[in-house]
Amino acid sequence: VSTQSTGDSGVFIKPMSLSTFVLIFAFVAYNYVPGYIFWPIGLFSLIGAWIFASTGMSLRRKLAISSWTPSYDGTIYGKMSLDVTKTLKYQELYRKKTNKHLTLTHLCGKACGLAMRKAPNINGRIVFGKFIPHKEISICFLVVMDDGRNLARVNVKNADSKSLAEIISELEAGANSLRKGNDIEFKKTMDTVKLVPTWLLRPITKITGLLASVIGVDIPPLGVSKFPFGSMVISNVGAFGVEEAYAPFTPFFHVPILMLIGTVKNKAEVNEERQIEVRPMLQLMFTLDHRYIDGAQASGLAKELKKLLEDPSLMDDTVTLDDSKKLD
């Protein structure tokens, strides 16, 4: 929380100072400058401020500046380490048998769907102070765009009941559509972000988040569908070589859990016989909203995820570790 607050305070020093200066300047000019001079200069300044605030930044940066303020809410950060020896073997066997590019992201999405099925009190949103459960479990995957300058999303609905093959196909199709510029909803959203300056994006994102993510209203002109970020959000930072990181809650997400997937590293671990072994270890990092989740629920969720991810055949028996001899 301290990192988020420090970063946000730093980001907003400059815009706040500029806003104060503009207000003071406008007050003085309005009272002491003739109208035929004041209004043309005022109009020119307003257009200039609009252009200045709308250029020179990626769309993701504009959304970030428009979204965050210092946080004092109940955010919980946690991580878990997984021995992915069986997981990587399962991944290899699955790719050979199905010719589909299974990744840790797909496995984590499926596991999270099944884990949330066992924790229905987490899968929902808070509407005017009251918890309202979602009717389905949707996992939102963040997709990197423009060489990391922007992010988009692919929302896989009913992730708990879909097979790994279905999740792979849906996520791949969604990501390709986004990167090729064929996603109409994303284009509408980004066109709005491009046009609107950061100081005006703040109220727009708050209202949009309330309508779409909390109440559940489609907003076609902005390219926003209801519950756009589903039950939780997953992002794979391991793809950038990051072993451990934590995500801040984006105000318009309105989800109880953010999960970051780190990179796999070989580490020395002590086995059950108290001997040291080198094993491939994966770090999963979580940002949890304490309004939804307490310690006991988080512990139960972590145990279920650990069980499923360390032995993926428990959630999809397309292949088993016994298939290794057949496929070698």
Side-chain angles (χ1 to χ4, degrees), residues 107-217:
L107 289 167
C108 286
K110 175 65 176 178
C112 286
L114 291 173
M116 292 196 78
R117 182 194 288 176
K118 292 190 174 183
N121 291 335
I122 297 175
N123 180 34
R125 74 273 190 200
I126 295 175
V127 182
F128 303 120
K130 182 179 180 181
F131 176 83
I132 305 294
H134 285 306
K135 296 181 180 179
E136 60 188 11
I137 297 174
S138 299
I139 306 298
C140 177
F141 298 89
L142 296 186
V143 178
V144 176
M145 303 278 291
D146 305 324
D147 297 322
R149 284 176 54 84
N150 291 307
L151 287 175
R153 60 175 177 80
V154 175
N155 199 7
V156 177
K157 298 182 179 180
N158 299 307
D160 58 318
S161 59
K162 288 182 177 175
S163 66
L164 282 173
E166 290 173 315
I167 293 175
I168 293 169
S169 298
E170 192 168 337
L171 183 52
E172 184 178 303
N176 288 337
S177 177
L178 285 164
R179 288 168 180 155
K180 291 178 181 178
N182 297 329
D183 190 295
I184 303 301
E185 287 191 351
F186 182 71
K187 289 177 68 176
K188 287 183 179 179
T189 302
M190 291 301 98
D191 286 345
T192 302
V193 175
K194 288 178 184 177
L195 178 65
V196 179
T198 52
W199 56 268
L200 189 55
L201 270 179
R202 179 185 294 274
I204 290 177
T205 54
K206 284 187 176 180
I207 294 171
T208 302
L210 175 64
L211 293 175
S213 299
V214 176
I215 299 175
V217 177

Side-chain angles (χ1 to χ4, degrees), residues 16-33:
M16 289 300 295
S17 301
L18 179 61
S19 301
T20 303
F21 171 78
V22 169
L23 288 174
I24 295 173
F25 176 79
F27 175 79
V28 173
Y30 181 77
N31 286 277
Y32 297 101
V33 176

Side-chain angles (χ1 to χ4, degrees), residues 231-266:
S231 306
M232 65 175 289
V233 176
I234 294 177
S235 181
N236 189 344
V237 296
F240 302 101
V242 177
E243 183 179 0
E244 183 176 338
Y246 295 87
F249 275 119
T250 302
F252 50 83
F253 277 13
H254 293 283
V255 296
I257 305 173
L258 305 178
M259 184 174 85
L260 297 187
I261 305 169
T263 189
V264 176
K265 294 283 188 180
N266 289 325

Side-chain angles (χ1 to χ4, degrees), residues 264-282:
V264 176
K265 294 283 188 180
N266 289 325
K267 295 186 177 182
E269 297 288 324
V270 179
N271 63 21
E272 295 178 355
E273 288 76 29
R274 297 186 179 181
Q275 296 176 334
I276 297 177
E277 295 180 344
V278 176
R279 299 177 180 175
M281 303 298 295
L282 172 67

